Amino acid sequence: GAVVSQHPSWVICKSGTSVKIECRSLDFQATTMFWYRQFPKQSLMLMATSNEGSKATYEQGVEKDKFLINHASLTLSTLTVTSAHPEDSSFYICSASKDTGNIQYFGAGTRLSVL
Amino acid sequence: QKEVEQNSGPLSVPEGAIASLNCTYSDRGSQSFFWYRQYSGKSPELIMFIYSNGDKEDGRFTAQLNKASQYVSLLIRDSQPSDSATYLCAVNKGSGTYKYIFGTGTRLKVLA
């Protein structure tokens, strides 16, 4: 068990458009979901933590109006990159945590390229 | 001082050898410790987790935790070329948060 699905795996968009990324826990209910960004040859940077039905908690320096997070159910969280610019091009990865164990299970990631 | 520190490597070991990866953390109150493997261009994959002092073994992998010295290590026995990846150490501080603090990762190269 503990499968996390992330979609799409790869997206190219034009500058100024918005992109939505979905993260689903397929075989468990995720009390908490996380969104990370990773630039080449760097480690994962936590962007925000989301709990079902409540507002996401953003890390310092992450623009909440630019990176909209919705955690509508215990199995689905979405990240919308609004008005994307080339500097937003990155590898975005979600993870989900069950109630116990503090273990995060990661989705496969979404590679975003903004032209 | 970074909260979670790892040597970036690369750490090169011959096939069949033991690879030893180390991680130190600064918050003495940290509760849970995780090792993830990340292949280039892929997302992290959980290898091991450990909560208590001592050793925890799972197949070819052994995690070692020493809370007094604030380090956690991962040993990979009989290293294979397919083990070549970046290994990320993650620490959870507990206190009701599931957030991880990640190290920058150690790149492991297993030479055939």
Side-chain angles (χ1 to χ4, degrees), chain A residues 12 18 20 22 26 30 33 39 41 43 51 54 56 60 65-66 71 86 94 98 101 106 114-115:
Chain A
I12 300 175
S18 295
K20 181 185 280 190
E22 286 190 354
L26 297 186
M33 287 184 167
F39 292 106
K41 300 191 186 305
S43 191
N51 293 288
S54 60
Q60 192 173 9
D65 294 331
K66 180 170 184 62
H71 195 152
C94 74
K98 295 181 185 180
F106 284 83
V114 184
L115 304 178

Side-chain angles (χ1 to χ4, degrees), chain A residues 31-32 34 36 38 43-44 46 49 59 91 93 97-99 101-109 111, chain B residues 31-32 34 36 38 40-46 49 51 88 92 94 97-100 102-105:
Chain A
T31 51
T32 308
F34 304 84
Y36 294 85
Q38 186 176 36
S43 191
L44 282 75
L46 180 65
T49 304
E59 295 299 301
F91 191 41
I93 314 172
S97 184
K98 295 181 185 180
D99 211 9
N102 290 348
I103 298 172
Q104 291 185 29
Y105 301 94
F106 284 83
R111 195 159 302 281
Chain B
Q31 305 270 321
S32 314
F34 307 84
Y36 285 84
Q38 186 176 27
S40 181
K42 303 294 184 183
S43 69
E45 170 193 9
L46 181 67
F49 59 89
Y51 302 145
L88 300 168
N92 173 259
T97 175
Y98 291 143
K99 280 172 55 172
Y100 286 177
F102 274 97
T104 52

Side-chain angles (χ1 to χ4, degrees), chain B:
Chain B
Q1 182 190 8
K2 292 181 182 176
E3 291 190 77
V4 178
E5 293 208 54
Q6 296 180 255
N7 188 316
S8 61
L11 171 67
S12 296
V13 300
E15 183 175 359
I18 296 176
S20 177
L21 305 161
N22 298 312
C23 171
T24 59
Y25 59 95
S26 60
D27 188 335
R28 190 171 286 279
S30 297
Q31 305 270 321
S32 314
F33 307 86
F34 307 84
W35 284 100
Y36 285 84
R37 176 174 64 195
Q38 186 176 27
Y39 291 111
S40 181
K42 303 294 184 183
S43 69
E45 170 193 9
L46 181 67
I47 298 294
M48 296 276 299
F49 59 89
I50 187 166
Y51 302 145
S52 304
N53 275 329
D55 294 1
K56 179 181 179 183
E57 188 174 316
D58 184 0
R60 294 187 297 114
F61 299 97
T62 299
Q64 299 175 317
L65 174 61
N66 184 321
K67 289 188 176 181
S69 300
Q70 295 175 236
Y71 82 79
V72 57
S73 62
L74 179 70
L75 301 178
I76 306 175
R77 287 181 299 283
D78 188 25
S79 296
Q80 301 297 308
S82 58
D83 294 325
S84 298
T86 296
Y87 288 80
L88 300 168
C89 170
V91 173
N92 173 259
K93 292 185 176 183
S95 301
T97 175
Y98 291 143
K99 280 172 55 172
Y100 286 177
I101 307 297
F102 274 97
T104 52
T106 297
R107 194 154 66 96
L108 173 67
K109 286 186 175 180
V110 180
L111 307 172

